[in-house]
Each structure stands twice: as C-alpha cells, then as structure tokens.
Amino acid sequence: MKDKVKVAIWGFGAMGSGIAKVLLRKQGVDIVGVCDLAPQKVGKSIYELLEVAQEERPQVLVSKDIEEVLQTKPHVCILATDSFTIKAFPKIKLVLEHGINVVSTAEEMSYPKAQQPELAAELDKIAKENGVTVLGTGINPGMMMDLLAICLSGCMTDVEHVVCKRVNSLSPFGPAVMEEQGVGLSLEEFEKGKKEGTLAGHVGFAESVGMISEAIGLGVDNFHQNMEPIVTSVDRRSPYGFAKAGNVAGVNMTGFGDRKGECVIEMIHPQQIEPELEGTHTGDYITLKGSPEVNMSVKPEVDGGIGTIAMCVNMIPHVINSEPGLKTMIDLPVPRAIMDDFRNHIK
Amino acid sequence: MKDKVKVAIWGFGAMGSGIAKVLLRKQGVDIVGVCDLAPQKVGKSIYELLEVAQEERPQVLVSKDIEEVLQTKPHVCILATDSFTIKAFPKIKLVLEHGINVVSTAEEMSYPKAQQPELAAELDKIAKENGVTVLGTGINPGMMMDLLAICLSGCMTDVEHVVCKRVNSLSPFGPAVMEEQGVGLSLEEFEKGKKEGTLAGHVGFAESVGMISEAIGLGVDNFHQNMEPIVTSVDRRSPYGFAKAGNVAGVNMTGFGDRKGECVIEMIHPQQIEPELEGTHTGDYITLKGSPEVNMSVKPEVDGGIGTIAMCVNMIPHVINSEPGLKTMIDLPVPRAIMDDFRNHIK
C-alpha cells in the first residue's frame, strides 16, 4: 500500500480551515502541518480549532513558522492566504524551493500570466528547477466562469462569442464581505469607495478571460472591466447586511475580452443580498455562440465557499501527478470529486 | 514554424466526412490520407466528395488500402468505422503498430475497460510499446453523460448520487436511424425486435457509468440497463419517420450503476421523433446529489452529430501531446474548441 498523501495548509482562515475539515473526512490523506500567524490559533490543535475528533490521526498544532511546517515533508502545500499573485509569490517560491507542490487559492494565480507575466514565468522556472508543480484554483476563477465554458466548447466546431454569467447571493456572507461589496451604502458612498479602491468587487475576470482566450484560441487583445452598484428598490435584509430602498444591495461586475475591437468574451457577475426580492434568480449561466450553440445553466449557483474548498481538495492528486511547472486548470485533467481513497488517484 | 498537424481518416461515412469538412476549415492541420472501402468513394478526390474547394491543399484520393494511407505518416489517424471495441480492435492495433496515434469514434472505446478489459489492457500495451496514444471520444459517451458530470463534480466535496439525462430528438436523422430505433413500429413489432436484437438503442451506458465511477471513486459493482418503447398518443411525423398514435416514436434507454445493491449512477436517455408534440423538451440534464448539490441543464441538447465531430477534432492536440498508452477523457486535459492554429496547441 502506498503512503498516505500528506498535505500542509498555509493560512487557516475560512478557506484553509474549510479545506482541512474536508480533508479530515477523506481517505488516504493526512494533514501533516498548518501554518497561521493569528495569535489565537498558534500552538492550538487543529482538531480543537475545527471541533473535529482527532481519533487515530497524528496531532497537528498550528505553527507560525512555515519552515517548521515544511519540515513535515508534505506532498502538497495548500496556500490559502492571498488574492493577488504579487502577494502570494514569495510564499509560493519558498514552498517550491523546498521541493513541495503548491495549490494556491489566490484568484490571480488561476492564470497569473494575465496580469503578472514575469512572475508567472519565474514561478514556472522555479517549479521546474525543483521538480514540482504549482496550480491556482477555486470556484471562480478556476471553474464556473472559465473552465466549465472551455469544457463545454469541446463539443463545438466553432466558437464566436462566449458569455459567462454568475448571479449569486451575498446573503450567507459575514460583515467583511458586506463591507467589501458595498452593501448598504448610499450611491454617493459607493462612488467614493469605488474611486478610492476600498470596494473589492470580484477578482479574477482578467484571469478567466485570459484562460478562455488561450484555450479556445480566441485571440483576445484587450481586456476591460466595470463595477456598478446594484441599487435596490425595496428594503433588503440579510443576516449581516441591510440595504434600504434606494441604496446599494451589491455590485454588478462586468468584464470584456476584445479581439480587434470586437467583444468576444463577456463576463457578467452581479453579487447582492436577497436577489429574489426583486425577482433575480441565482445561477451560473454559460452561452457559447457558434456551432452548435450551447446554452448551459446551473441553478442555483454553485456555492462559492464550498466550491472553492472542493476545487482545492479535488485538484491535489492532479497536481501531484503533473509534470513540473506552473500549471493552470486548462493544462490538467478535469477536476472531480474524490469519494474513494486519495491514493487511488495518485499515479 | 512547426510542421502542420497531419491527420488521416479511416472511414469516410457521416462521421469521417464530417470530421474532414471541419478539419478543412481549420488552420495548421492537413488531411493527408483517407481510407474507405465503398466503391463509389475509392479513387475519388475528397474535395470532390465533400464539395469543398481544394485551393492550396495537397490532393487526397480515397484509398481502400489503409497501408497506403498510413505511409503518409500522419500524426493521428481518426478511426470512424465501428461502435464496438471488438470490431475496432484489429484496426486500432494496426495503426498503433505503425507508430501513429489513434482517435476512435467507437462508443465502447470511450472506456473499453467496461466491457473489454482484456482488449483494453492489450491496447494500452501496444500503444506504449509504440510510443503512441489511443483515445475513444464522442458526444455520448465521451461528454454529455459522463465527462461533463465528472467535471461538475469537481466543485463538490461529496457526491452521493449522479443522474445524467439526455433527451433528444431523432427528427433530423435518416431512415437507418429510424429503423435502428424502432420508430413507427407497433408495440408487438418493437418487443420482437428488442428480443431479436435488431434494435440498436444507445451504445455507451456501461462505458459512461464505468468512467464516472472510476473518476469519482463511487465503487460501482454492478451495471444494468433497459430499453423501453416510447409510445406516442398522437401521430408524429418527421422527414424520415412516421409514428401513428399508439405506435412507437422512439426508445427510452435507462442505465444504472449500483454499489452494494444501491443505485448511485442513473442514466436516462429517451430518443424519439418530434418530442415537443407531447410536451417533451429536449436537453442535457445533470443532477449531482451531495455537497453542494449541482443541477445543470443544457437546452436544447447538444447535437449528437456535430458534437461527436467536434470532440474528435478538438481532442487531436491532446492525443498528440499525451504520454503513450490507452487514455480516456478523464486522463487528458479538458476538451476545447480550437479557433486558432492547431500548432499553437501542440507541445
């Protein structure tokens, strides 16, 4: 019998701890180390923090020292700390230089060539020099507005135009997301926040558009995006958010990939609390114009939190099996849930 | 600049000639040889048969001699002659032994382990010995009722039950399909044809179920399927079919993958002429129960003819790039339409 797959997690917030909880339910895989800097977590047992019974598993205490964590010689380190390549870069570099594969949750790492071509080339080089692989993934970017559209295009002989639309509810999210997405602001406050860069909106359109364009060969030569307020005409209330009629219930992000001045890829991603109150139905929608035309919907939308956790967990075997280098979702076999022993999926 | 991708086609029927037509529209790829035994095609120019202008392209005459065709040293031979592994096997073997990659349209070749594990092992061995790859693909099996479900499961942490439903219309098809699918028969005639094995139904459920079970690790230990008549309550007429009220308008194929006596994968595939006349809407539907539940629909269904042609064309670069051996759709990167030069997709 092969050794169990050993996983380390760097960043034990909502994503990192969610990934840990799923891994603890899976067969043939062990968490061997966790790194996080939060004083209330350091030195604590992950089983205590996750409220999961330790059972036969080895003890794992949260360490603030990544070097110590990497000494456990994991097959993969999941890096769940950042959204931007430039911030994730030194951490990824450090892990790769220990000869350890990386799965990153950073949105920009799903296709780092889009905005950081030099760092992407550097990561590819470092990964190859150390004989390991680095992949960025998640639900979006990584799946619902890019890989799934690419996969569906496989049954088409010709693709002329791609529209990916993800309509989701912010109602399940906490106060941080309410603030980042401008929920409850007046229009004036929203415009001020947009100008000053305090509203996050969605990170990942440049990456999704780049990935689709490369995969299908659409030749996109220009990318641009917008962030507009979704103004509610009725009062809307969610557990952590409230938008009074006339104020902002969320943001509508749109992104466009043009080829020679003509839009060929369109991304539409409105996020708001209580969308049903004004008749908006959540879902993931893909329309591929061409031959044959393909119209897909997934209703309701795939939950962003569980979805990202699942993608990171499910790509672990593909990353271990991959040839060395920087990879994206279009380079590896299709993602899949893993219901049996992880070792069955290791070559 | 790299050399163009060179493709040979063995079997110049609806699929083979459809694939040729698409390839002739694509950049960076040449058809270098075609083999077919039909006397009305042998010796003819493929451009004449396809009614496509030859332009700058090299002349290609249909040959009845596959050895002659393989002398053109294609990178890939597309084999579009059979539905069953046992019939495709000697042809695939011959091509592999010439050191040439194979894409097969045979439904059973999409996952030959399901029904021909010994032939599958043999093909894997031959392919590896000759340093080349063999893949079976198509719209179904190959995509709509297997790979797409597997891909969607990638955003799930747990999958308990899989339902793939493909509802399509037989109206566009010709007399051969009408006969194979029992369109217009009385119930008695249908039951007789079913018993005597003259009704084809759908080939591929065992393969789709096997592929899903392996990919997700669902542990299916038993497969069974049914073919039932779709009896119409109104007269239905299509260009090549007619079913009077009370007679058979098509077949409903169902397939089941069980684990320890419990069904975990369900396949539902009704095919009939003029389904709308009784309120049936065509489409591809996938429901994945688990966490989170995923409900997908593609409406109308992806056309089976164009879809299979597209899958075969689009997988050519992945097959050329692959490590040697027998591969299935779950081993290779996601399929994708190719709108730019084929050489951009060759490693």
Side-chain angles (χ1 to χ4, degrees):
Chain A
M1 194 61 173
K2 275 184 267 189
D3 285 345
K4 284 192 185 180
V5 174
K6 298 196 284 181
V7 179
I9 299 173
W10 189 349
F12 212 55
M15 285 302 110
S17 64
I19 288 165
K21 266 197 171 169
V22 172
L23 286 173
L24 291 176
R25 290 206 313 270
K26 297 290 177 183
Q27 307 157 48
V29 57
D30 271 337
I31 298 172
V32 294
V34 168
C35 178
D36 197 284
L37 302 181
Q40 71 277 22
K41 294 177 191 167
V42 173
K44 290 257 173 69
S45 160
I46 63 165
Y47 305 102
E48 190 190 325
L49 289 169
L50 297 171
E51 300 180 348
V52 170
Q54 184 181 341
E55 293 170 353
E56 313 290 284
R57 302 185 191 95
Q59 182 56 276
V60 179
L61 304 179
V62 174
S63 168
K64 63 183 173 185
D65 179 4
I66 186 63
E67 290 287 346
E68 186 181 280
V69 168
L70 299 181
Q71 292 315 317
T72 61
K73 303 220 170 299
H75 297 101
V76 175
C77 179
I78 296 182
L79 182 63
T81 51
D82 303 285
S83 286
F84 303 104
T85 299
I86 202 161
K87 293 200 70 176
F89 178 83
K91 302 185 186 103
I92 298 172
K93 180 171 188 282
L94 188 153
V95 179
L96 294 175
E97 285 175 346
H98 280 74
I100 295 165
N101 298 296
V102 173
V103 173
S104 166
T105 63
E107 286 94 327
E108 284 190 1
M109 274 300 298
S110 65
Y111 192 79
K113 256 196 285 189
Q115 305 200 69
Q116 300 288 349
E118 284 169 29
L119 294 183
E122 180 81 10
L123 286 174
D124 188 51
K125 186 165 156 275
I126 298 168
K128 283 175 177 157
E129 281 168 0
N130 290 281
V132 288
T133 302
V134 49
L135 171 76
T137 194
I139 196 72
N140 183 33
M143 182 68 165
M144 300 314 288
M145 296 185 83
D146 39 42
L147 188 76
L148 190 53
I150 293 164
C151 184
L152 285 165
S153 82
C155 56
M156 301 173 68
T157 60
D158 297 274
V159 177
E160 287 147 22
H161 190 87
V162 175
V163 183
C164 299
K165 185 170 172 182
R166 180 164 163 83
V167 183
N168 66 330
S169 171
L170 294 176
S171 293
F173 292 91
V177 169
M178 295 303 121
E179 203 179 313
E180 282 167 19
Q181 306 293 332
V183 173
L185 297 184
S186 69
L187 255 178
E188 296 68 37
E189 290 165 331
F190 182 93
E191 293 303 338
K192 184 158 173 276
K194 186 177 160 183
K195 200 178 285 174
E196 292 172 356
T198 56
L199 296 173
H202 169 69
V203 177
F205 277 168
E207 290 69 27
S208 293
V209 168
M211 195 191 295
I212 294 169
S213 178
E214 179 188 330
I216 306 184
L218 287 177
V220 165
D221 52 34
N222 182 41
F223 167 78
H224 51 111
Q225 63 179 8
N226 291 323
M227 177 165 64
E228 297 299 336
I230 298 173
V231 176
T232 182
S233 64
V234 298
D235 287 359
R236 302 196 201 178
R237 184 181 298 281
S238 67
Y240 294 94
F242 174 69
K244 151 161 101 61
N247 281 353
V248 174
V251 293
N252 184 22
M253 294 280 303
T254 49
F256 307 90
D258 303 332
R259 178 185 56 207
K260 297 179 186 165
E262 187 202 354
C263 174
V264 289
I265 304 176
E266 215 171 315
M267 315 293 280
I268 305 166
H269 188 17
Q271 308 194 78
Q272 59 201 292
I273 59 166
E274 302 297 294
E276 296 77 13
L277 285 182
E278 289 188 273
T280 297
H281 298 288
T282 63
D284 289 289
Y285 307 91
I286 293 171
T287 302
L288 304 171
K289 301 259 182 213
S291 175
E293 182 167 316
V294 175
N295 289 290
M296 187 221 70
S297 59
V298 171
K299 287 191 273 194
E301 89 281 14
V302 174
D303 181 281
I306 312 179
T308 294
I309 289 166
M311 293 294 290
C312 291
V313 167
N314 295 335
M315 291 306 289
I316 289 172
H318 289 334
V319 167
I320 294 174
N321 292 335
S322 169
E323 55 172 30
L326 167 67
K327 299 293 169 187
T328 75
M329 291 301 292
I330 58 177
D331 301 316
L332 300 179
V334 289
R336 61 205 65 174
I338 301 173
M339 295 303 290
D340 56 345
D341 195 298
F342 264 55
R343 289 168 287 190
N344 295 344
H345 300 266
I346 306 294
K347 272 187 202 159
Chain B
M1 193 61 174
K2 277 185 264 190
D3 285 344
K4 284 192 184 181
V5 174
K6 298 196 285 180
V7 178
I9 300 173
W10 190 349
F12 212 55
M15 286 301 110
S17 64
I19 289 165
K21 267 197 171 170
V22 172
L23 286 174
L24 291 176
R25 289 207 311 269
K26 297 291 177 182
Q27 306 158 47
V29 58
D30 271 336
I31 299 173
V32 294
V34 168
C35 178
D36 196 284
L37 302 181
Q40 72 275 22
K41 294 177 192 167
V42 173
K44 291 257 173 70
S45 160
I46 62 165
Y47 305 102
E48 190 189 326
L49 289 168
L50 297 171
E51 299 179 349
V52 170
Q54 183 181 340
E55 294 170 354
E56 312 291 284
R57 300 184 192 95
Q59 182 57 277
V60 180
L61 304 178
V62 175
S63 168
K64 63 183 174 186
D65 179 4
I66 186 64
E67 290 288 346
E68 187 182 279
V69 168
L70 299 181
Q71 292 314 317
T72 60
K73 304 218 172 300
H75 297 102
V76 175
C77 179
I78 295 182
L79 182 62
T81 52
D82 302 284
S83 286
F84 303 105
T85 299
I86 202 162
K87 292 199 74 178
F89 178 84
K91 302 186 186 102
I92 297 172
K93 182 171 187 283
L94 188 152
V95 180
L96 294 176
E97 285 174 348
H98 280 75
I100 295 165
N101 299 296
V102 174
V103 173
S104 166
T105 64
E107 286 94 326
E108 284 190 1
M109 274 301 297
S110 65
Y111 192 79
K113 257 198 283 190
Q115 304 200 72
Q116 300 288 351
E118 284 168 28
L119 294 183
E122 180 81 10
L123 286 174
D124 187 52
K125 188 166 155 274
I126 298 168
K128 283 174 177 159
E129 281 167 2
N130 291 279
V132 288
T133 302
V134 49
L135 170 76
T137 195
I139 196 72
N140 183 33
M143 182 68 165
M144 300 314 288
M145 296 185 83
D146 39 42
L147 188 77
L148 190 53
I150 293 164
C151 184
L152 285 165
S153 82
C155 56
M156 301 173 70
T157 60
D158 297 275
V159 177
E160 286 147 22
H161 189 87
V162 175
V163 183
C164 299
K165 186 170 172 182
R166 180 164 163 83
V167 183
N168 66 329
S169 170
L170 294 176
S171 293
F173 292 92
V177 169
M178 295 302 121
E179 203 180 314
E180 282 167 19
Q181 307 292 332
V183 173
L185 297 184
S186 70
L187 254 179
E188 297 68 38
E189 290 165 332
F190 182 93
E191 294 302 338
K192 185 157 171 277
K194 185 177 162 183
K195 201 178 283 173
E196 292 172 357
T198 56
L199 296 173
H202 169 69
V203 177
F205 278 169
E207 289 69 26
S208 293
V209 168
M211 196 192 295
I212 295 169
S213 178
E214 179 188 328
I216 307 186
L218 287 177
V220 166
D221 52 32
N222 183 41
F223 167 77
H224 51 111
Q225 63 179 7
N226 291 322
M227 176 165 62
E228 298 299 337
I230 298 172
V231 176
T232 182
S233 64
V234 297
D235 287 0
R236 301 196 202 178
R237 185 181 299 280
S238 68
Y240 293 95
F242 175 69
K244 157 163 96 60
N247 280 354
V248 174
V251 294
N252 184 23
M253 294 281 302
T254 49
F256 307 90
D258 303 332
R259 178 183 57 206
K260 297 178 186 166
E262 187 202 353
C263 175
V264 289
I265 304 176
E266 215 170 314
M267 315 293 280
I268 306 166
H269 189 17
Q271 308 194 78
Q272 59 200 295
I273 57 167
E274 301 298 294
E276 297 76 14
L277 285 182
E278 289 188 273
T280 297
H281 299 289
T282 63
D284 290 288
Y285 307 91
I286 293 171
T287 302
L288 304 171
K289 302 258 181 212
S291 176
E293 182 167 316
V294 175
N295 289 291
M296 187 222 72
S297 58
V298 172
K299 289 191 271 195
E301 88 282 15
V302 174
D303 181 280
I306 311 180
T308 293
I309 289 166
M311 292 294 290
C312 291
V313 167
N314 295 335
M315 290 306 290
I316 289 172
H318 289 335
V319 167
I320 294 174
N321 291 335
S322 170
E323 55 173 28
L326 168 66
K327 300 293 169 188
T328 75
M329 291 301 293
I330 57 177
D331 301 316
L332 301 179
V334 289
R336 61 204 66 172
I338 301 173
M339 295 303 290
D340 56 344
D341 194 298
F342 264 56
R343 288 169 287 190
N344 295 345
H345 300 265
I346 305 295
K347 273 185 201 161

